[in-house]
């Protein structure tokens, strides 16, 4: 408990001097360390804004090319390891989290590929907020779904969103959930656009 207090106190001491400034930026290093500053050193930093929930990232900043490039090596490695289209993984991450490694959904899904805690445990993801771990686990799950549904991207993506049992329950068709139908449409549209560019 003493260690927890001193770590929290140290973080508070680091943040307090920045609160007086109009702009605060954060950078999450590839190994998951959090850096805060009022003077970003490169484009990989994300501006934070004050909201009713506290300090949060500006959503649009995650779409910056520098953020995509920073994640591309993990995406490329996962694509090669699990024999997945590189552009498909980019599309999934864009729709799931908008490239926000700290994203948390209302349902509790976490990180870049929005892994539910049970899915993260199932695919041995120890830290869902670590970009490399999250992309590896999400890619492994997507590969599992593609194998399960005979490489049918539509069904695999529907299962990624709604769960594999939902797809099976509806006779190996996209479940009649508006969210899932929109999700599949968005990911496939982005995937095709990525491939074409």
């Amino acid at each position: 408990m003493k260690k927890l207090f001193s770590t929290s106190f140290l973080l508070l001491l680091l943040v307090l001097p920045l609160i007086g400034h109009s702009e605060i930026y954060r950078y999450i290093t590839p190994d998951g360390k959090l850096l805060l500053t009022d003077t970003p050193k490169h484009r990989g930093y994300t501006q934070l804004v004050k909201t009713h929930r506290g300090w949060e990232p500006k959503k649009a900043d995650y779409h910056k090319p520098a953020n995509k490039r920073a994640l591309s090596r993990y995406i490329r490695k996962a694509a090669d390891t699990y024999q997945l289209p590189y552009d498909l993984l980019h599309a999934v991450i864009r729709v799931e989290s908008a490239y926000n490694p700290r994203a948390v959904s209302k349902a509790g899904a976490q990180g870049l590929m929005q892994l539910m805690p049970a899915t993260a445990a199932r695919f041995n993801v120890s830290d869902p907020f670590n970009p490399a771990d999250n992309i590896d686990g999400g890619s492994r799950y997507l590969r599992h779904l593609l194998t399960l549904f005979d490489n049918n991207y539509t069904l695999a993506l529907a299962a990624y969103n709604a769960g594999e049992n939902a797809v099976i329950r509806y006779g190996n068709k996209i479940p009649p959930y508006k969210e899932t139908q929109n999700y599949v449409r968005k990911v496939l549209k982005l995937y095709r656009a990525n491939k074409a560019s």
Side-chain angles (χ1 to χ4, degrees), residues 24-194:
I24 299 174
Y25 296 83
R26 82 172 184 194
Y27 175 67
I28 299 170
T29 65
D31 59 351
K33 291 179 184 163
L34 172 67
L35 305 177
L36 297 170
T37 184
D38 61 340
T39 52
K41 294 182 171 64
H42 52 74
R43 288 185 181 179
Y45 281 81
T46 300
Q47 185 177 356
L48 300 178
V49 292
K50 182 76 170 152
T51 71
H52 68 283
R53 291 179 297 217
W55 289 93
E56 295 186 338
K58 282 177 96 174
K59 301 271 184 212
D61 284 353
Y62 288 110
H63 296 286
K64 285 183 177 178
N67 290 330
K68 292 181 191 178
R69 278 195 303 273
L71 297 170
S72 286
R73 65 181 170 134
Y74 303 123
I75 297 169
R76 176 67 65 195
K77 182 179 178 186
D80 292 344
T81 301
Y82 302 110
Q83 299 178 359
L84 295 167
Y86 172 78
D87 293 321
L88 179 65
L89 289 179
H90 266 289
V92 169
I93 290 169
R94 170 74 184 267
V95 173
E96 286 287 352
S97 67
Y99 294 94
N100 178 355
R102 307 299 291 180
V104 178
S105 76
K106 290 177 184 175
Q110 301 171 324
L112 289 163
M113 294 189 74
Q114 288 292 274
L115 302 177
M116 292 297 287
T119 305
R122 179 179 173 190
F123 291 94
N124 301 316
V125 177
S126 58
D127 181 1
F129 297 112
N130 178 290
D133 287 353
N134 189 285
I135 291 169
D136 183 79
S139 299
R140 212 170 339 148
Y141 182 39
L142 188 55
R143 167 42 59 205
H144 163 75
L145 294 172
L146 281 165
T147 301
L148 182 65
F149 295 109
D150 296 320
N151 286 314
N152 183 315
Y153 286 18
T154 300
L155 294 182
L157 290 169
Y160 194 94
N161 178 263
E164 57 203 79
N165 291 330
V167 173
I168 293 166
R169 189 166 55 250
Y170 284 98
N172 283 351
K173 293 181 180 167
I174 300 177
Y177 313 144
K178 194 163 195 173
E179 179 194 326
T180 301
Q181 292 167 350
N182 288 338
Y183 173 83
V184 171
R185 194 165 32 251
K186 283 181 193 173
V187 173
L188 290 177
K189 184 178 177 183
L190 274 172
Y191 172 48
R192 291 180 191 118
N194 290 344

